[in-house]
Amino acid sequence: MTVFQIGRRFCLWGLSGWMMVVQAQPSDPALGESSVTSAARMPRAAVLSGLGEQALAQRYPEQAVWLDLGDEGRALGLLMPEQRFPGAGALLVLADEGQTADAGVLGPLRLALAERGIAVMTVGLRLPPESVQRSRLVHDGAEERKASGVAGRDDVPAADAVMIDVEAGSPQENAVSDFRDSVRARLNAGFEALLNEGYERPGVIGLGWSADYVTEWAGTASPVAAVIWLAPRFPAQYRAPLSSFRTSGVAGGEGWAVLDLHGSEGRAGEAGRARASALGRAGVTGYQRQGIVLGQPPQAQDAARIASRISAWFRNQ
């Protein structure tokens, strides 16, 4: 790590503490504006993504990092450097679908992990196309009815059955592929930004539905330190292959492990235990499951508890 990077990190650390006190107050034009704040006001495509990125960049100018997505414009990452030294590395956190980089648990989680010596960059994620959401609901609904023992021969309407059996090259398959390409672009850009900050081998966290995206991405990306599933949700059609190809990096000994951090109660707890059983039968190594009390979805009050579990596990990777 260069002297410049170290100096920048100490500077950001000090500014982060000060901004936690005044972040709710509007900025004073008399104090001038940073280059990030000015850039946030530019009418760029990524700023108009519906994720409130312009407002977030103005609210957290000391944390804002614009990520270049190539043809898709740019996306906002919120980076909080570690506040304890020596640090334990960095984590890239992909928000759940439709969430901003500061929604729900993400803002408090950045601070809680930074206080434990882990730098964190959170990145928002737009909703997938409506056809993808509808298909997922059909699969999940059928799965729930099957589990409850009420699914019958006529349980899935014919129209939905056609939608489930997605053909190669169909509009829905293309929509899924395009959305996943967009997600990969965000992860690539965020990972590169952390590398440029001097973090040699960051880990990655997928919140909710993003657990699927980060795991798929990690299998083909630059070496990552670890993959963390936070309150994960997986489409029903991917639950069976999950043990074979979604964790191929772990099973193949590619050098990264998985922490499955899920709610301990109700369906979340049952799903977590089922995943552990499936991965165990598949002989996957490097996987660890931890059930904890979590809101559905995780809330700000869960941040300290989540950060404690993650930091203890991540330091050993």
Side-chain angles (χ1 to χ4, degrees), residues 16 32 38 51 56-57 61 63 87 89 119 133 139 150 164 180 186 200 209 217 231 252 267-268 271 284 301 307:
S16 297
S38 299
L51 292 174
L56 284 177
Q63 297 181 32
Q133 298 179 58
H139 281 286
V150 299
I164 289 175
R180 285 186 175 270
R186 286 176 176 261
E200 296 181 357
W209 293 111
W217 169 81
R267 291 186 59 197
V284 172
Q301 58 267 28

Side-chain angles (χ1 to χ4, degrees), residues 34-285:
S34 68
S35 59
V36 173
T37 304
S38 299
R41 294 177 180 173
M42 296 173 63
R44 294 289 297 275
V47 174
L48 302 177
S49 64
L51 292 174
E53 292 180 323
Q54 180 176 4
L56 284 177
Q58 293 175 341
R59 183 178 182 184
Y60 301 106
E62 80 292 352
Q63 297 181 32
V65 178
W66 287 109
L67 308 175
D68 185 3
L69 304 182
D71 293 340
E72 292 194 21
R74 58 181 187 168
L76 179 68
L78 295 178
L79 172 62
M80 181 169 286
E82 64 274 30
Q83 298 183 14
R84 178 185 296 179
F85 298 92
L91 287 167
L92 174 63
V93 185
L94 183 63
D96 201 355
E97 293 174 349
Q99 287 192 347
T100 72
D102 198 51
V105 73
L106 295 182
L109 186 60
R110 282 199 311 278
L111 178 60
L113 285 170
E115 290 175 340
R116 289 163 173 79
I118 300 175
V120 182
M121 175 182 285
T122 55
V123 180
L125 181 63
R126 63 181 174 87
L127 286 170
E130 183 179 353
S131 62
V132 176
Q133 298 179 58
R134 290 182 60 217
S135 177
R136 178 189 295 160
L137 288 173
V138 170
H139 281 286
D140 287 355
E143 186 82 5
E144 289 180 17
R145 291 187 291 272
K146 180 179 178 181
S148 64
V150 299
R153 183 175 55 186
D154 300 324
D155 196 55
V156 180
D160 289 337
V162 173
M163 185 169 60
I164 289 175
D165 296 326
V166 179
E167 296 181 0
S170 68
Q172 183 179 335
E173 185 191 52
N174 292 337
V176 172
S177 178
D178 290 346
F179 182 71
R180 285 186 175 270
D181 287 345
S182 176
V183 174
R184 281 191 287 269
R186 286 176 176 261
L187 289 168
N188 285 334
F191 194 79
E192 182 178 358
L194 288 175
L195 292 176
N196 291 338
E197 289 292 328
Y199 300 105
E200 296 181 357
R201 197 163 173 253
V204 60
I205 298 177
L207 174 60
W209 293 111
S210 290
D212 177 44
Y213 303 133
V214 301
T215 308
E216 180 187 53
W217 169 81
T220 58
S222 300
V224 300
V227 173
I228 298 171
W229 300 340
L230 177 55
R233 300 181 69 186
F234 292 97
Q237 63 267 41
Y238 291 143
R239 285 174 190 157
L242 183 64
S243 61
S244 58
F245 69 89
R246 288 294 172 191
T247 53
S248 59
V250 180
E254 297 296 330
W256 49 269
V258 172
L259 172 63
D260 186 348
L261 195 60
H262 63 83
S264 58
E265 301 175 349
R267 291 186 59 197
E270 294 174 3
R273 291 187 288 273
R275 284 192 300 271
S277 296
L279 293 173
R281 289 192 299 271
V284 172
T285 60

